[in-house]
Amino acid sequence: MPTLPETFDAILLGAGQTNNPLGRTLARGGWKVALIEKGDVGGTCANVGCTPTKAMIGCARVAHQARRGAEFGIHVGDVVVRLDEVRERTQGIVKDFRTGSERELAATNGLELIRGEGSFTGPRAVLVKLNDGGERRLAARVVVIDTGGLPARPDIPGLDSVPWLDSTGMLDLVEVPERLTVLGGGYIGLEYAQMFQRFGGRVTVLQKDDQLMSSEDPDMAAALAEILRGEGIEIHLNAEATRVSGSAGDVRVTYQTEGREREAAGTHLLVAVGRSPNTEALNLAAAGVETDDRGYIKVDEKLETNVPGVYAPGDVNGGPAFTQVAHNDNRILRDNLLRDAGRVTTGRLIPMVTFTDPQYGRVGLTEKQARQEGRRIRIARMPMNQVSRAIEIGEDRGLIKAVVDAETDQILGCAALAFEGGEIMSMVQVAMMGDLPYQRLRDDMFAHPTLARGLNGLFASFVE
């Protein structure tokens, strides 16, 4: 006679940036919660994404600033980067974040953290293969899938025959690659490219599209490319990788560009061409959960799948793969599950920041998107070398751009390639959230000299 499953109010698959806080909130609301995680608590962000990479970017910036000392009248000796020490510092930060989360989970009554891998056996039934052996069968009225994504593996001839790294593998390096080839010109590839150029390597970026960050406006992408090239990074656009060859310490990427075949040689290869959904082990077919042609789980505006009571927030549903999205998904599910609040994902502003230096932050519509929608728009654009604060601190590279509705004067979007560009963009986002017309940012008072004061100048600098 089959064993009856253990019953919970909610089964949460994956302890990522949605399910981690969601599990605690549901349990505090009186729910009996099973949180299932095979690996480390915190998901991609805390373990192999935001936390370690931004910690390493911080180290790389210190090295870069030390080399710039003479520009400010500060003279130092040779800059020596010890990547093993950078890694030790980084992993210490990761460990602190992760253990803090684990302590919070352990202290939450009504929540059980189950270490193992879960897979569906029915619409809201899950089999957990425990990490330490054995298995448990669970059932619940609500199941939330927060298993995130994995680095995508492109189908390039020869890739399987050479050593290569993905964004996770880069975190294990203890010596700076002498020559690093980066396949992919999106935000992950560019952050690593600049980081390791500043650590002392020589970096080449191969981007298959005609610009970096293909979803962004061409002028902003071109400005970032100019900055990165200015630091010594070699960038090739319209470079379609066709073959990989070589061996450890000598990895060669053959690529097509402008009708010609070329080769990029490096001691190391980073493949950063996007992400794929982490769903292979879930046995979604047993639950009847539908996916799209890329394997991402289909959800509606309340993050519910086609199976009632089964939800899929965060990266696994194919939306923007940002931690802030997962955090907001948590709030939507929390309010809907506990209070039937009717919250939806539609209409929300989704900000993003690429942590190059200067940062690239954007929220709302790009100029390209606004024109595709047929909107009548005005474009405000201002270089950072017109912002007093940026000049004073030697951070005047980049530009800020805003898209304004020509009929309503509402701000439709903002992109800031600037020192603390994410913070500048966030100020404009607050104005957008409050439906302020652009004139408020043009005419009202900001403290001088701050980066924020540059918004006065930006919204007085319409180019059309």
Side-chain angles (χ1 to χ4, degrees):
M1 186 172 179
T3 304
L4 292 176
E6 304 172 60
T7 58
F8 290 81
D9 294 306
I11 298 171
L12 310 184
L13 294 167
Q17 296 298 307
T18 297
N19 274 353
N20 193 338
L22 180 64
R24 298 196 305 269
T25 304
L26 293 179
R28 290 164 185 159
W31 289 38
K32 182 182 179 183
V33 178
L35 177 60
I36 301 166
E37 176 56 62
K38 180 181 179 181
D40 293 321
V41 168
T44 297
C45 178
N47 295 292
V48 295
C50 315
T51 299
T53 58
K54 278 49 180 179
M56 291 177 70
I57 286 169
C59 296
R61 176 172 166 77
V62 170
H64 177 68
Q65 291 298 90
R67 294 188 188 102
R68 293 184 64 201
E71 297 177 29
F72 300 87
I74 310 298
H75 297 269
V76 297
D78 292 339
V79 175
V80 178
V81 174
R82 302 193 186 282
L83 195 60
D84 57 337
E85 296 178 15
V86 170
R87 185 178 185 276
E88 183 178 0
R89 172 185 181 271
T90 298
Q91 291 305 313
I93 294 171
V94 169
K95 182 179 179 181
D96 286 346
F97 282 23
R98 184 168 59 235
T99 55
S101 292
E102 290 172 348
R103 282 195 297 269
E104 286 189 74
L105 292 172
T108 303
N109 293 327
L111 184 151
E112 181 181 2
L113 175 60
I114 301 174
R115 298 286 189 172
E117 185 171 63
S119 61
F120 284 98
T121 58
R124 287 174 299 280
V126 172
L127 171 67
V128 183
K129 294 182 179 179
L130 302 173
N131 287 353
D132 58 1
E135 59 185 39
R136 291 171 65 176
R137 294 182 179 274
L138 316 177
R141 57 190 174 92
V142 168
V143 179
V144 183
I145 305 168
D146 181 28
T147 51
L150 299 168
R153 184 188 185 94
D155 184 17
I156 302 174
L159 186 62
D160 290 340
S161 64
V162 301
W164 59 278
L165 299 160
D166 59 21
S167 56
T168 300
M170 291 292 290
L171 300 174
D172 293 328
L173 292 176
V174 293
E175 293 184 359
V176 177
E178 180 183 344
R179 289 175 290 121
L180 174 66
T181 302
V182 179
L183 194 59
Y187 69 92
I188 294 175
L190 296 182
E191 288 180 356
Y192 272 114
Q194 187 182 44
M195 180 197 308
F196 277 88
Q197 183 76 21
R198 289 179 166 189
F199 282 151
R202 290 161 46 206
V203 179
T204 298
V205 175
L206 302 179
Q207 166 71 335
K208 69 177 182 178
D209 298 312
D210 60 1
Q211 66 174 64
L212 300 179
M213 299 192 302
S214 55
S215 62
E216 302 305 310
D217 282 335
D219 56 345
M220 302 302 294
L224 178 57
E226 181 181 1
I227 288 170
L228 296 178
R229 286 185 172 121
E231 292 194 17
I233 297 172
E234 189 175 332
I235 298 173
H236 298 283
L237 304 176
N238 295 306
E240 182 74 33
T242 58
R243 186 173 66 255
V244 181
S245 59
S247 57
D250 182 22
V251 182
R252 299 174 179 271
V253 180
T254 302
Y255 62 97
Q256 291 282 341
T257 182
E258 299 177 349
R260 292 181 293 173
E261 187 173 85
R262 293 186 174 182
E263 184 179 80
T267 57
H268 295 72
L269 172 64
L270 165 61
V271 177
V273 294
R275 307 277 292 176
S276 299
N278 184 22
T279 57
E280 185 175 351
L282 290 175
N283 193 20
L284 294 174
V289 173
E290 295 180 354
T291 62
D292 64 16
D293 56 3
R294 299 178 298 161
Y296 288 101
I297 297 174
K298 295 181 180 180
V299 295
D300 63 14
E301 70 279 2
K302 293 184 178 180
L303 299 167
E304 191 168 22
T305 71
N306 62 297
V307 179
V310 178
Y311 300 84
D315 299 359
V316 77
N317 66 32
F322 301 128
T323 297
Q324 60 267 27
V325 173
H327 286 170
N328 191 252
D329 286 352
N330 157 58
R331 296 182 181 102
I332 289 171
L333 286 176
R334 171 197 68 192
D335 294 347
N336 289 348
L337 292 175
L338 290 177
R339 302 197 300 273
D340 195 22
R343 292 189 60 181
V344 297
T345 59
T346 52
R348 60 182 176 176
L349 288 171
I350 299 180
M352 58 83 71
V353 182
T354 297
F355 284 87
T356 50
D357 180 19
Q359 297 169 10
Y360 177 72
R362 182 176 62 78
V363 66
L365 297 180
T366 63
E367 177 184 357
K368 182 166 53 177
Q369 290 169 333
R371 295 195 188 283
Q372 288 172 348
E373 292 183 5
R375 293 175 180 263
R376 288 186 58 233
I377 59 174
R378 300 178 69 195
I379 302 299
R381 187 185 293 112
M382 185 182 68
M384 286 300 292
N385 61 17
Q386 294 182 16
V387 179
S388 298
R389 178 63 175 163
I391 297 169
E392 292 157 0
I393 62 175
E395 297 288 354
D396 60 354
R397 299 180 300 171
L399 70 154
I400 317 175
K401 177 180 180 179
V403 183
V404 172
D405 190 299
E407 297 176 351
T408 66
D409 291 341
Q410 295 295 310
I411 305 167
L412 301 176
C414 175
L417 176 62
F419 177 69
E420 295 297 350
E423 307 298 338
I424 296 170
M425 171 273 293
S426 295
M427 289 196 63
V428 180
Q429 180 185 350
V430 172
M432 294 169 67
M433 293 163 62
D435 293 326
L436 296 182
Y438 81 86
Q439 290 93 339
R440 291 294 303 275
L441 299 185
R442 182 193 65 190
D443 299 335
D444 284 5
M445 188 188 309
F446 296 100
H448 178 81
T450 61
L451 294 172
R453 196 178 188 290
L455 296 177
N456 288 151
L458 170 66
F459 287 101
S461 303
F462 283 97
V463 296
E464 59 181 274

